[in-house]
Amino acid sequence: MKAKTDTRRYILETALQLFLVKGYKDVSYQDLMQKTGLSKGAIYHHFASKEDILVSVFEFFVQAGEQPRGPSPEEIVKDFASFKKLLLGIRREQFAHFRKMMGGKPLRFNKMLFFLEAIVENKKLKKPVDALMKQELLFLEQCMRGMQKNGKLGKKQDIALLARNLFWMMQGAEAMLFFMSGDAKEKEFIKVYADTLEDFFSMFNF
Amino acid sequence: MKAKTDTRRYILETALQLFLVKGYKDVSYQDLMQKTGLSKGAIYHHFASKEDILVSVFEFFVQAGEQPRGPSPEEIVKDFASFKKLLLGIRREQFAHFRKMMGGKPLRFNKMLFFLEAIVENKKLKKPVDALMKQELLFLEQCMRGMQKNGKLGKKQDIALLARNLFWMMQGAEAMLFFMSGDAKEKEFIKVYADTLEDFFSMFNF
Amino acid sequence: MKAKTDTRRYILETALQLFLVKGYKDVSYQDLMQKTGLSKGAIYHHFASKEDILVSVFEFFVQAGEQPRGPSPEEIVKDFASFKKLLLGIRREQFAHFRKMMGGKPLRFNKMLFFLEAIVENKKLKKPVDALMKQELLFLEQCMRGMQKNGKLGKKQDIALLARNLFWMMQGAEAMLFFMSGDAKEKEFIKVYADTLEDFFSMFNF
Amino acid sequence: MKAKTDTRRYILETALQLFLVKGYKDVSYQDLMQKTGLSKGAIYHHFASKEDILVSVFEFFVQAGEQPRGPSPEEIVKDFASFKKLLLGIRREQFAHFRKMMGGKPLRFNKMLFFLEAIVENKKLKKPVDALMKQELLFLEQCMRGMQKNGKLGKKQDIALLARNLFWMMQGAEAMLFFMSGDAKEKEFIKVYADTLEDFFSMFNF
DNA sequence: AATGAATGAGCGTTCATTCAT
DNA sequence: AATGAATGAACGCTCATTCAT
């Protein structure tokens, strides 16, 4: 029983690694066999189909990236510096997490693309992706509100608007990084986030 | 002679349509045969390989989307309204153009994703994509400068910074639209652009 | 386990048969499927590629033709009669061996041609073919030496020279048989060997 | 009319070149188009099919290799030296002939293999090949007879037997050269012939 | 005489999946 | 829980050939 769980998780980790590097479509059972060292039958024993693997991997990915609920961002974020520190810290933790189980290989597909491919292959994954996005958006809003409370943003600033703009900018910037460099490294990603944050707030002469 | 050019172009149009709808990887010669009504051999007579089709389609796509050079955006754009009008006008024209040759089918892959897949499949396409992006960025900068000249942006505003932020925001927003609705319509795209523009400038209390 | 070995060997036997009859290039997976009754996938399960089949068939062919090491030819061969008996006996055994696993079908490609095609398709097979040839040459030398010991060849005769000449004659004669009759039978082959031997030694007025 | 003949001959020369280098089966119309610079249609205008090209090329090959009838070999050959000189001279001429129209490319298929492939592809070519072989055999017999007349071979020597043996030896040796070195050069071929001749006659203590 | 557009069968290979063991 | 034998459909691509111009 324990063994079963272990093998299942082992397959998921390996599959996620492959999906992020080659993309779902380009990962074959051949690849999975080679990388896991397991037989085709063994994989089929744990997952009904390739699509089943994708769905399970996605759940695994989401859950692995979940942050332990600490104090609300609204309370933590007091100014731009603490905002930046919090956000980059979270990204670093997430990256470290995936890095660890991926043996340091350079990622080729970023999160957004992984999401997109997942949705394209399985419509059921659309909903959780939406949820994740909204969650991130909400997170940014809470951060903004924290700054507003501390007088770093005017009382009349539309928090939701700013959050949405920043969110889209970050998404766009992250995607851009992929266009420029197919094999981006964690450090580069972090830099892109940091730069985007600076860019965003420098528009307001922070 | 006439036939050759026509058939070649016909194949390109059909392929572009399929690529934008299903993605390059998921389009097979089977699909191309069915959609064009031509035999496999006929297609191979005009294009050496599937990758050759991709590259040619890409060139075709780029060239088809090119704007006739009119007066500089710097001169046209006088305020937010004229900026918005110009940008949405261009987008509308581009969409109309592609719509026309795609028979009104709903797009599934936006430009960014088409670019990304192209790059992933053929490294040679990286350079033209980069060029296109820089061109769009430059266009936005020129628009910003036009506004600045007319006192709609402070003299000290960093034009390049603003352009970059807007560009990323628009990219992110466009991508988001795809996440939300796999089969987005032209109207929705235009709305996203318009909203993003509004969002961006409303941050400065325009 | 048993099944795998059996199927693999079964494919090899069938492939050898087809290669000897039609030539490697002209044997398609279609042919292999039809003749074996297996699916394409099944064959690919056992062999990575067509070339892999060729290499494996070649090894199989060589190993199947190997003679059990008995007493040295030098000791067995005492005169022309015993030489002829030994050589034809070996050829007969080899033929019988291949016949058996080929269901009595008339051969179309002789050994030399099979070798050549193998080399042309896969350079790695050049070495084993060379080795086989040298081995046969050595065998003939040892036979000659046996005759020399028994005074059937002059002390001063160049054993290596005679062996080489005979070897080439036999190769040439065997090839000729193929030109004359594309579908040569075992009996004809044996006759060609016998005649060539007679021809060779009759030059010395044996 | 003259043009027609010229193009036809040009195609034949090019095809022969390709056949000798790659083998009939491996030469495609693609190759022929590329090498000739002509269109597919143009080649089909002159030859009904690929097999038609083969047959025509074969005739061309045979006729191109024909020797102008001079004095009978029986009269020319007086001893081993003159025999060797005559035979090697003829071979050299033949090689020079083919070399000239092949631009110095190393041959990969020797005559015997070219013949064999031709026969395999078209049964009608069997007869002319047989005729050619018999002609060569006859030539060797006449040479032997010339030597016999001059007392260089015993009166009782069986001329036909010796000729046949030599012929086979030379065929075998030539084939061997191909096994050893896939891309044999003219000089090597000539050496093989010379060596074989020496070998053959040294058996009689010439 | 020559072009090149178009065909359709066939090639070797990869794929996700099933199933008996 | 795990193996690996077997399947059949699909893939991108090459081929010799036909035909209108």
Side-chain angles (χ1 to χ4, degrees):
Chain A
M1 179 187 308
K2 175 170 168 292
K4 168 176 177 176
T5 306
D6 282 1
T7 302
R8 206 187 130 88
R9 187 192 165 89
Y10 170 57
I11 294 172
L12 283 179
E13 284 173 2
T14 312
L16 172 55
Q17 192 174 144
L18 286 168
F19 290 170
L20 288 174
V21 170
K22 306 183 65 175
Y24 170 77
K25 265 288 166 89
D26 284 354
V27 174
S28 67
Y29 275 88
Q30 178 88 336
D31 295 325
L32 286 167
M33 286 168 66
Q34 199 171 318
K35 193 109 188 169
T36 59
L38 292 168
S39 71
K40 228 172 245 191
I43 301 174
Y44 268 96
H45 181 72
H46 290 283
F47 301 95
S49 65
K50 209 185 146 188
E51 198 173 352
D52 184 23
I53 299 181
L54 174 63
V55 174
S56 305
V57 158
F58 190 82
E59 286 165 3
F60 175 67
F61 176 87
V62 168
Q63 151 196 345
E66 265 172 10
Q67 289 306 310
R69 290 287 92 188
S72 157
E74 206 172 320
E75 296 166 26
I76 296 173
V77 173
K78 298 199 153 58
D79 51 14
F80 176 63
S82 53
F83 182 17
K84 188 173 161 185
K85 189 181 160 195
L86 175 65
L87 197 133
L88 295 190
I90 288 174
R91 279 282 185 272
R92 272 203 196 88
E93 273 179 48
Q94 288 175 342
F95 270 108
H97 199 259
F98 291 117
R99 284 284 147 184
K100 197 168 56 192
M101 63 190 190
M102 289 182 56
K105 280 278 187 74
L107 302 175
R108 201 174 105 199
F109 276 60
N110 67 357
K111 192 183 57 182
M112 200 169 99
L113 292 167
F114 178 56
F115 285 1
L116 186 103
E117 205 185 11
I119 289 179
V120 166
E121 295 302 325
N122 188 311
K123 294 289 162 65
K124 287 192 303 181
L125 296 178
K126 202 173 172 313
K127 217 179 280 185
V129 167
D130 273 9
L132 274 172
M133 300 251 161
K134 280 187 182 126
Q135 191 176 314
E136 285 204 40
L137 212 51
L138 189 66
F139 168 82
L140 290 182
E141 279 187 35
Q142 291 172 326
C143 293
M144 295 282 187
R145 187 157 295 120
M147 293 178 74
Q148 199 177 39
K149 269 186 182 170
N150 287 274
K152 304 296 177 185
L153 283 176
K155 292 281 181 202
K156 298 197 169 172
Q157 290 277 19
D158 182 342
I159 293 301
L161 168 71
L162 291 180
R164 191 168 64 242
N165 285 3
L166 176 58
F167 181 57
W168 285 351
M169 261 185 66
M170 282 168 53
Q171 293 293 346
E174 189 175 345
M176 258 345 81
L177 176 58
F178 263 90
F179 277 99
M180 313 278 156
S181 132
D183 288 335
K185 298 196 182 52
E186 182 183 340
K187 223 168 61 182
E188 294 164 338
F189 272 110
I190 296 296
K191 181 159 173 24
V192 161
Y193 289 122
D195 288 352
T196 309
L197 273 180
E198 299 273 5
D199 275 5
F200 185 76
F201 287 105
S202 66
M203 285 194 298
F204 307 100
N205 303 330
F206 267 87
Chain B
M1 176 189 313
K2 174 172 166 289
K4 170 172 180 177
T5 306
D6 283 2
T7 304
R8 204 186 134 88
R9 189 192 164 89
Y10 171 56
I11 294 172
L12 283 180
E13 286 173 3
T14 312
L16 172 55
Q17 194 173 143
L18 286 168
F19 289 169
L20 288 174
V21 170
K22 306 182 67 174
Y24 170 77
K25 263 288 169 79
D26 283 354
V27 174
S28 68
Y29 274 88
Q30 181 88 338
D31 295 326
L32 284 168
M33 286 167 66
Q34 200 168 319
K35 191 114 188 165
T36 57
L38 291 167
S39 70
K40 217 175 262 193
I43 302 174
Y44 269 98
H45 179 68
H46 291 282
F47 300 96
S49 66
K50 207 185 151 190
E51 200 172 352
D52 184 24
I53 298 182
L54 174 63
V55 173
S56 304
V57 159
F58 189 82
E59 285 166 4
F60 176 66
F61 175 88
V62 168
Q63 152 197 346
E66 266 171 8
Q67 289 306 310
R69 291 285 91 190
S72 157
E74 206 172 321
E75 297 165 25
I76 296 174
V77 173
K78 301 197 154 56
D79 50 15
F80 176 63
S82 55
F83 182 16
K84 187 172 162 185
K85 190 181 159 195
L86 176 64
L87 197 133
L88 295 189
I90 288 174
R91 278 281 186 272
R92 271 200 199 92
E93 271 177 50
Q94 288 176 342
F95 270 109
H97 199 260
F98 290 117
R99 283 286 147 183
K100 197 168 55 191
M101 63 191 191
M102 288 182 55
K105 279 281 186 72
L107 303 174
R108 201 173 105 200
F109 275 59
N110 68 359
K111 193 182 56 182
M112 199 169 98
L113 292 166
F114 177 57
F115 285 0
L116 187 103
E117 206 184 11
I119 288 178
V120 166
E121 295 302 325
N122 187 312
K123 295 288 162 66
K124 286 192 304 181
L125 296 178
K126 201 174 173 314
K127 217 179 282 186
V129 166
D130 273 11
L132 275 172
M133 300 249 161
K134 276 183 185 129
Q135 192 176 312
E136 286 204 37
L137 212 51
L138 188 67
F139 169 82
L140 291 182
E141 277 188 37
Q142 290 172 324
C143 293
M144 295 282 188
R145 187 156 296 120
M147 295 177 74
Q148 199 178 37
K149 269 187 183 169
N150 286 274
K152 305 297 178 185
L153 284 175
K155 293 279 180 204
K156 298 197 169 173
Q157 290 278 17
D158 183 342
I159 293 300
L161 168 71
L162 291 179
R164 192 168 65 243
N165 284 4
L166 177 57
F167 181 57
W168 285 350
M169 261 184 66
M170 282 168 54
Q171 294 293 347
E174 190 175 344
M176 259 343 84
L177 176 59
F178 263 90
F179 278 101
M180 312 279 157
S181 132
D183 289 334
K185 298 196 182 52
E186 183 183 339
K187 224 168 63 183
E188 294 164 337
F189 271 109
I190 296 296
K191 183 163 171 18
V192 162
Y193 288 121
D195 288 353
T196 309
L197 272 181
E198 300 272 5
D199 275 8
F200 185 75
F201 286 103
S202 67
M203 285 193 299
F204 307 99
N205 302 329
F206 267 86
Chain C
M1 176 191 312
K2 174 174 167 288
K4 169 172 179 176
T5 307
D6 284 1
T7 304
R8 206 187 131 88
R9 188 192 164 90
Y10 170 56
I11 295 172
L12 283 180
E13 286 172 2
T14 311
L16 172 55
Q17 196 174 141
L18 285 168
F19 289 170
L20 288 174
V21 169
K22 306 183 65 174
Y24 171 76
K25 265 286 169 83
D26 284 354
V27 174
S28 68
Y29 274 88
Q30 180 89 336
D31 295 326
L32 285 167
M33 286 168 67
Q34 199 167 320
K35 191 112 189 166
T36 57
L38 291 167
S39 70
K40 219 174 259 197
I43 301 174
Y44 268 96
H45 180 68
H46 291 281
F47 300 95
S49 65
K50 209 185 149 189
E51 198 171 353
D52 184 24
I53 299 181
L54 174 63
V55 173
S56 304
V57 158
F58 190 83
E59 285 166 3
F60 176 67
F61 176 87
V62 168
Q63 152 196 346
E66 266 171 10
Q67 289 307 309
R69 291 286 90 189
S72 158
E74 206 172 321
E75 295 167 24
I76 296 173
V77 172
K78 299 200 154 57
D79 50 15
F80 176 65
S82 55
F83 182 16
K84 188 173 162 185
K85 189 181 160 194
L86 175 64
L87 197 135
L88 295 189
I90 287 174
R91 277 284 184 269
R92 271 202 199 91
E93 272 178 49
Q94 288 175 342
F95 270 108
H97 201 259
F98 289 116
R99 285 283 148 183
K100 197 167 56 191
M101 63 190 191
M102 289 182 55
K105 280 280 184 76
L107 305 175
R108 203 174 103 198
F109 276 59
N110 68 358
K111 192 182 57 182
M112 200 169 96
L113 292 166
F114 177 57
F115 284 1
L116 187 102
E117 204 184 11
I119 289 178
V120 166
E121 294 302 325
N122 187 312
K123 294 288 161 66
K124 287 193 303 181
L125 296 177
K126 200 175 174 311
K127 217 180 280 187
V129 166
D130 272 10
L132 275 172
M133 301 249 160
K134 278 186 183 128
Q135 192 176 312
E136 285 205 39
L137 211 52
L138 188 66
F139 168 82
L140 290 182
E141 278 189 36
Q142 290 172 325
C143 292
M144 295 282 188
R145 188 157 295 119
M147 294 177 74
Q148 198 178 39
K149 270 187 181 168
N150 286 274
K152 305 296 179 185
L153 285 175
K155 292 280 182 204
K156 299 198 167 170
Q157 291 279 17
D158 183 341
I159 292 301
L161 168 73
L162 290 180
R164 192 168 65 242
N165 284 2
L166 176 57
F167 181 57
W168 284 352
M169 261 183 65
M170 281 168 54
Q171 294 292 348
E174 190 175 342
M176 261 343 82
L177 175 59
F178 263 90
F179 278 100
M180 314 276 156
S181 133
D183 289 333
K185 299 196 181 52
E186 183 183 340
K187 223 169 62 183
E188 294 164 338
F189 271 109
I190 296 297
K191 182 159 171 24
V192 161
Y193 288 122
D195 287 354
T196 309
L197 273 181
E198 298 275 5
D199 275 7
F200 184 76
F201 286 105
S202 66
M203 286 194 296
F204 308 98
N205 304 329
F206 267 87
Chain D
M1 180 188 304
K2 177 170 167 290
K4 168 176 177 179
T5 307
D6 282 1
T7 303
R8 205 186 132 89
R9 187 191 164 91
Y10 171 56
I11 295 172
L12 284 180
E13 284 173 3
T14 312
L16 172 55
Q17 194 173 142
L18 285 168
F19 289 170
L20 288 174
V21 169
K22 306 182 67 174
Y24 170 77
K25 265 288 166 90
D26 284 354
V27 173
S28 67
Y29 275 88
Q30 178 90 336
D31 296 324
L32 285 168
M33 285 169 66
Q34 198 170 318
K35 193 109 188 169
T36 58
L38 292 167
S39 71
K40 228 173 246 191
I43 301 174
Y44 267 96
H45 180 71
H46 290 283
F47 301 95
S49 66
K50 209 184 145 189
E51 198 171 354
D52 184 23
I53 299 181
L54 174 63
V55 173
S56 304
V57 159
F58 190 82
E59 285 166 4
F60 175 68
F61 174 87
V62 168
Q63 151 197 347
E66 264 173 9
Q67 290 306 310
R69 291 285 92 191
S72 158
E74 205 172 323
E75 294 167 26
I76 296 174
V77 173
K78 299 198 152 60
D79 50 15
F80 175 63
S82 54
F83 181 16
K84 187 172 162 185
K85 188 182 160 193
L86 175 64
L87 197 134
L88 295 189
I90 288 174
R91 277 284 185 270
R92 272 200 198 93
E93 273 177 48
Q94 288 175 342
F95 270 108
H97 199 259
F98 290 116
R99 281 287 145 183
K100 199 168 54 191
M101 62 190 192
M102 288 181 59
K105 281 279 187 74
L107 302 175
R108 200 173 106 200
F109 276 60
N110 68 358
K111 192 183 56 182
M112 200 169 99
L113 292 167
F114 178 57
F115 285 0
L116 186 102
E117 206 184 11
I119 289 178
V120 165
E121 295 302 326
N122 188 310
K123 294 291 161 64
K124 286 193 302 181
L125 296 178
K126 200 174 173 312
K127 218 179 280 185
V129 167
D130 273 11
L132 273 173
M133 300 249 162
K134 277 185 184 128
Q135 192 177 314
E136 285 205 38
L137 210 52
L138 189 65
F139 168 83
L140 291 182
E141 278 189 37
Q142 290 173 325
C143 292
M144 295 282 188
R145 187 156 296 119
M147 294 178 74
Q148 198 177 39
K149 269 187 182 169
N150 285 274
K152 305 296 179 183
L153 285 175
K155 293 279 181 203
K156 298 198 168 172
Q157 291 278 19
D158 183 340
I159 291 302
L161 167 71
L162 290 180
R164 191 168 66 243
N165 283 5
L166 176 57
F167 181 58
W168 285 351
M169 261 183 66
M170 281 167 53
Q171 293 293 347
E174 189 176 345
M176 259 344 82
L177 176 57
F178 262 89
F179 278 101
M180 312 278 156
S181 133
D183 289 333
K185 299 196 181 52
E186 183 184 339
K187 223 168 64 183
E188 293 165 338
F189 271 110
I190 296 296
K191 183 162 171 22
V192 162
Y193 289 121
D195 288 353
T196 311
L197 272 181
E198 299 273 6
D199 274 7
F200 185 76
F201 287 105
S202 68
M203 287 194 297
F204 307 99
N205 302 330
F206 267 86

